Amino acid sequence: MREEAESLDTSNVSANWVSAEALRHDIDQRIKALADLSGTPLFFGRLDYLHAPGRDAGATDEAEEAHRFYIGRRHVHDAGGDPMVIDWRAPVSQPFYRASRRDPMDVALRRRFGYTGGELTAYEDEHLTDPTEADTTSKLLQQEIERPRVGPMRDIVATIQPEQDEIVRSGLSGTVCVQGGPGTGKTAVGLHRVAFLLYAYRERLARTGTLVIGPNRSFLHYIEQVLPALGELEVKQATVDDLVAQVARVEVRGTDEAAAAVVKGDARMAEVLRRAVHAHVTLPTEPVVVVRGSRRWRVPAYELEEIVRELQGRGIRYGAAREALPQRIAHAVLVQMERAGEAPDDRVQDAVARNTAVKAAVKEIWPPVDPAKLVLRLLTDADFLAEHADGVLSEDEQKTILWARSVRSVRSAKWSAADVVLIDEATDLVQRTPSLGHVVLDEAQDLSPMQYRAVGRRCTTGSATVLGDLAQGTTPWATRSWEEALAHLGKDDAVIEELTAGFRVPTDVITYASRLLPHIAPGLTPVSSVRENPGFFDLRPVTEDAQVVGACEELLKREGSVGLIAADARIPVLAEALDAAGIGHLGPGEETTRETRLTLVPASLAKGLEYDYVVLDEPGAVVGGEPDERTGLRRLYVALTRAVSGLIVTHAAALPPQLG
């Protein structure tokens, strides 16, 4: 199929060079999508139907091939164009994930294939309609789930579970929120839902666009190969900070104290900004006089006021209303012209709207607003802030967000990440933010209400997939409930799903970590590991850093990736200890190799990452590194649940009492 695409000649099929370039680009993307993945088979399953799909149950069909379908990551056809492998997203593939003995979905046989390095090494059959065959746990499924993780995150198309498949195949029109504990596969579900939507609604999403939003660049780098492995190359990835920075066009060079960031991230700031923007409108006190030739046309102040109040009452964007004002004034002049017996047309109205007197009046009544300058004034001018925050923010909250020093200009200001979100909000008040067709928001529990609003603006006419775990909220403004978060996102009607079956974290590890749940998220259901291999878990008192390094050396003797997670302040010390021991190590987001399998991870960047084995250094320091105990315990919960096969916890100080 790739060779066929490479052989296509586009030199004589395009009307012009623009069409030729567009066609060439499409073919190049097709070739990239058909690239071989080393060690990845073209198919992983087979379905044998009792009846050929699409035919009546009573119809006869002697061809066995009409009932048999191989399921794979990509559609594969032979030289004649007949399908050999069916895309996992096709309707005929759905029973591979959903069929059961209780509901076989007309499937007689489901076969799973096992591979080693891309070579077929095993297969496993389930006869779903055979009453004599007992239910058994799929060994191949367990092996695939527990397969060592080296390199970036991989797809899960061979192991999608029924409850995950329901979310993956949900329609484009609705927003879905997935609450999932560690190892429940919520990130994979979100990415595979994108792949499914691009398959089922490709033309629509090609026009409107799709975006995956992650918590940081390390996380995005970790997941960036999943969609290309499924043949989807056009999905963009970004952080919330990336999105708002593109609009605000200012550089983040400052940081906020936690108290200031909480106030700036509060949804009430939207009302403060709305007031500040619309306060620029001044009701007219003087008439507008338009001179055309020998005639003078006068629009009185009271009529101008009516126009302004009518535009204010429509609730449209500040910039849209400002653009409409000169046309409305010009229309008032045309009405007078018609009464005087003239017959003006649209060209005359446009000319009047561009008249010097009209432009001067518009500038006076409805002046332009620079969002960055507006936010800068709110943060540096106490009187201006007090005027527009009256009844919204308390005096103490206003003092909390005011900058201690005056700033000369937007360019010289040391903007924080929360400030840039405010600029994004102000920009949207002036001019509507374009909407995408679908947005995936991962690790959503850490967003502030104002950040939710920023994401919501990117999908006002589209839908979203919201992924997160309330127990892993590690910011002072972390989400308290999904209903509240979805309201800020503008998706009140979203369906909330909960995943509780754990596929990644071993039983002993998740059981230990779940001791923290009553203290960090009392209402959540603990994750229940479905893995047969319990993994291993060890608590080790230590007296020196060399013993922590020794734990890493012990785990490096096993197959797979190893993560050393520690409080941010401990990272330089541990890096020095690893270097002294001659152990190579990487940073979060850097791709592991067979030679270098150890990653040194600050606890603040551990979220969303996973390693076969983890050494967690000094849990008490992880908790103590956060501004409050609850946030620290949530950070510890994240760090404890990064292991796929085993966890060693080393500590010189006492463990947090919440761990028992």
Side-chain angles (χ1 to χ4, degrees):
M1 289 170 65
R2 185 174 61 250
E3 290 172 355
E4 181 184 5
E6 290 172 339
S7 67
L8 293 174
D9 182 7
T10 62
S11 58
N12 298 317
V13 298
S14 300
N16 53 58
W17 70 270
V18 176
S19 299
E21 286 297 314
L23 183 58
R24 188 68 252 170
H25 173 268
D26 289 345
I27 293 175
D28 288 342
Q29 291 297 97
R30 170 75 171 164
I31 294 169
K32 289 179 182 178
L34 291 171
D36 285 322
L37 299 177
S38 60
T40 301
L42 286 175
F43 63 92
F44 51 81
R46 191 183 104 187
L47 290 176
D48 288 6
Y49 279 86
L50 291 170
H51 308 91
R55 296 175 64 90
D56 295 334
T60 58
D61 192 332
E62 298 301 328
E64 186 178 354
E65 291 75 12
H67 304 165
R68 178 175 298 168
F69 299 90
Y70 287 85
I71 313 300
R73 287 166 176 78
R74 301 295 313 280
H75 168 83
V76 182
H77 62 247
D78 62 17
D82 292 325
M84 299 176 67
V85 179
I86 305 297
D87 194 301
W88 66 276
R89 298 167 287 186
V92 76
S93 303
Q94 183 173 329
F96 185 79
Y97 305 106
R98 301 272 190 97
S100 64
R101 296 190 184 281
R102 182 179 301 176
D103 180 16
M105 301 176 70
D106 200 41
V107 173
L109 171 74
R110 172 168 54 202
R111 174 171 289 180
R112 300 180 190 276
F113 294 98
Y115 290 86
T116 301
E119 184 175 335
L120 178 64
T121 54
Y123 68 89
E124 204 175 62
D125 287 348
E126 295 175 83
H127 297 87
L128 299 180
T129 56
D130 184 353
T132 64
E133 187 173 288
D135 279 328
T136 57
T137 302
S138 169
K139 299 294 184 183
L140 291 179
L141 191 63
Q142 286 287 335
Q143 290 172 10
E144 177 63 21
I145 291 172
E146 297 173 8
R147 182 157 57 96
R149 283 145 168 80
V150 176
M153 181 180 178
R154 59 179 184 257
D155 65 76
I156 61 164
V157 292
T159 61
I160 294 174
Q161 298 302 292
E163 64 272 19
Q164 297 174 325
D165 191 63
E166 288 184 16
I167 299 171
V168 167
R169 295 179 191 268
S170 54
L172 179 60
S173 59
T175 290
V176 178
C177 175
V178 182
Q179 158 63 39
T184 54
K186 55 186 178 295
T187 296
V189 166
L191 294 174
H192 287 69
R193 186 179 182 218
V194 171
F196 172 77
L197 293 176
L198 288 168
Y199 176 87
Y201 307 94
R202 189 169 301 280
E203 290 187 7
R204 191 191 311 181
L205 289 176
R207 296 192 303 269
T208 56
T210 310
L211 174 67
V212 174
I213 301 175
N216 52 59
R217 293 186 183 278
S218 296
F219 178 82
L220 291 176
H221 181 70
Y222 176 64
I223 68 170
E224 66 183 357
Q225 295 303 318
V226 174
L227 289 169
L230 300 175
E232 303 299 344
L233 306 175
E234 299 295 330
V235 179
K236 296 180 180 178
Q237 298 182 351
T239 65
V240 174
D241 291 344
D242 292 335
L243 292 178
V244 297
Q246 291 172 3
V247 173
R249 297 181 181 178
V250 297
E251 183 180 356
V252 174
R253 296 187 295 137
T255 57
D256 285 315
E257 296 291 334
V262 168
V263 177
K264 290 178 181 179
D266 195 293
R268 293 174 295 163
M269 286 300 300
E271 173 60 17
V272 175
L273 290 165
R274 189 196 65 79
R275 292 181 182 182
V277 168
H278 289 279
H280 288 76
V281 178
T282 304
L283 293 177
T285 57
E286 299 292 333
V288 172
V289 179
V290 176
V291 178
R292 283 184 60 80
S294 61
R295 301 293 299 271
R296 293 163 60 88
W297 307 98
R298 182 176 181 274
V299 182
Y302 75 85
E303 189 172 350
L304 291 173
E305 182 177 339
E306 290 177 358
I307 293 172
V308 171
R309 291 191 182 279
E310 191 271 335
L311 286 173
Q312 287 178 318
R314 291 174 57 186
I316 59 177
R317 296 296 195 278
Y318 183 93
R322 186 174 188 274
E323 293 174 0
L325 182 56
Q327 289 291 336
R328 296 299 301 275
I329 295 173
H331 178 73
V333 172
L334 259 66
V335 170
Q336 294 184 29
M337 290 180 176
E338 290 171 348
R339 289 173 181 169
E342 296 188 18
D345 56 18
D346 291 345
R347 289 173 298 177
V348 175
Q349 180 168 330
D350 290 339
V352 173
R354 295 192 300 268
N355 183 273
T356 303
V358 174
K359 292 167 71 174
V362 170
K363 186 177 181 179
E364 181 70 23
I365 298 168
W366 214 295
V369 171
D370 184 309
K373 290 181 179 179
L374 175 78
V375 173
L376 182 63
R377 187 178 176 190
L378 279 172
L379 298 176
T380 57
D381 186 335
D383 293 336
F384 187 68
L385 176 61
E387 177 185 353
H388 301 298
D390 182 40
V392 180
L393 302 179
S394 68
E395 290 185 9
D396 288 342
E397 288 174 324
Q398 293 175 36
K399 291 178 182 177
T400 300
I401 64 173
L402 277 170
W403 291 358
R405 299 179 180 178
S406 59
V407 179
R408 292 182 180 180
S409 65
V410 168
R411 186 179 294 274
S412 63
K414 290 188 176 180
W415 299 101
S416 70
D419 297 332
V420 182
V421 177
L422 297 180
I423 297 175
D424 188 75
E425 178 84 25
T427 302
D428 185 71
L429 288 166
V430 175
Q431 186 174 3
R432 184 182 296 276
T433 304
S435 174
L436 296 163
H438 192 77
V439 170
V440 174
L441 176 60
D442 205 353
E443 300 295 348
Q445 72 279 345
D446 276 338
L447 267 61
S448 70
M450 290 299 287
Q451 288 177 313
Y452 276 117
R453 290 175 62 88
V455 174
R457 285 192 284 277
R458 271 76 184 178
C459 56
T460 50
T461 59
S463 57
T465 301
V466 181
L467 312 165
D469 180 11
L470 296 179
Q472 296 186 59
T474 52
T475 56
W477 51 84
T479 303
R480 289 173 290 188
S481 75
W482 289 122
E483 289 80 5
E484 181 181 329
L486 292 166
H488 294 311
L489 193 69
K491 304 294 182 183
D492 306 69
D493 58 346
V495 175
I496 301 176
E497 303 280 359
E498 187 172 9
L499 297 175
T500 58
F503 303 97
R504 174 171 56 79
V505 186
T507 301
D508 292 350
V509 174
I510 196 63
T511 300
Y512 184 73
S514 294
R515 295 182 182 185
L516 297 175
L517 283 181
H519 307 281
I520 60 178
L524 289 186
T525 303
V527 172
S528 176
S529 179
V530 300
R531 296 176 53 174
E532 292 186 343
N533 180 1
F536 79 88
F537 170 67
D538 193 11
L539 284 174
R540 293 187 184 178
V542 298
T543 56
E544 56 186 18
D545 294 334
Q547 292 173 283
V548 180
V549 173
C552 294
E553 290 177 315
E554 176 184 329
L555 294 180
L556 285 170
K557 295 176 181 178
R558 301 169 179 258
E559 183 182 5
S561 58
V562 178
L564 171 55
I565 304 177
D568 292 29
R570 290 271 294 154
I571 294 299
V573 175
L574 292 174
E576 186 176 336
L578 290 170
D579 291 338
I583 300 176
H585 54 90
L586 305 166
E590 295 182 315
E591 188 171 334
T592 57
T593 64
R594 297 291 176 184
E595 294 73 30
T596 307
R597 295 182 288 116
L598 176 66
T599 304
L600 180 57
V601 187
S604 62
L605 296 180
K607 189 171 298 178
L609 304 179
E610 59 182 35
Y611 303 94
D612 287 292
Y613 301 96
V614 167
V615 176
L616 174 58
D617 170 73
E618 211 61 71
V622 174
V623 176
E626 300 299 328
D628 60 84
E629 185 181 64
R630 188 183 188 191
T631 303
L633 290 173
R634 287 182 167 187
R635 185 75 73 189
L636 177 58
Y637 181 73
V638 171
L640 283 168
T641 54
R642 299 303 96 199
V644 175
S645 298
L647 170 67
I648 298 175
V649 177
T650 59
H651 64 101
L655 293 170
Q658 293 84 355
L659 285 174

